[in-house]
Amino acid sequence: PESEELAALYDRFLLRRSVEPVSDENVLSLLAATTVVPPGASGSSGLSGPLDLEAVIEEVTAAASSMPLSTDVAALLGEVRSFL
């Protein structure tokens, strides 16, 4: 983390992954993207036992896929991002 604010958040998350920032040109594409579940993968709910990163990713993907994002909301989020 490069700032005090980010350092305060860093230790709050158990799963961490470094990613590059999304460009202004691609933020709306990211918001509108859908994820394809690979063949043989289960998109159904039911995490149990020790947490497995792949299982968590599948659960989050399935949940996100079931929540549509309207184009108006995506455009508004793009404007908010530009404003910040």
Side-chain angles (χ1 to χ4, degrees), residues 59-81:
E59 277 300 303
V60 170
T61 299
S65 297
S66 69
M67 299 173 55
L69 182 67
S70 74
T71 54
D72 291 337
V73 171
L76 182 61
L77 289 172
E79 290 176 25
V80 168
R81 183 180 189 268

Side-chain angles (χ1 to χ4, degrees), residues 40-66:
S42 168
S44 64
S45 160
L47 291 176
S48 62
L51 285 180
D52 170 39
L53 181 57
E54 292 300 319
V56 170
I57 291 171
E58 284 183 29
E59 277 300 303
V60 170
T61 299
S65 297
S66 69

Side-chain angles (χ1 to χ4, degrees), residues 3 10 18 29 34 36 55 59 61 69-70 84:
S3 69
Y10 185 77
S18 296
S29 297
T34 58
V36 176
E59 277 300 303
T61 299
L69 182 67
S70 74
L84 297 176

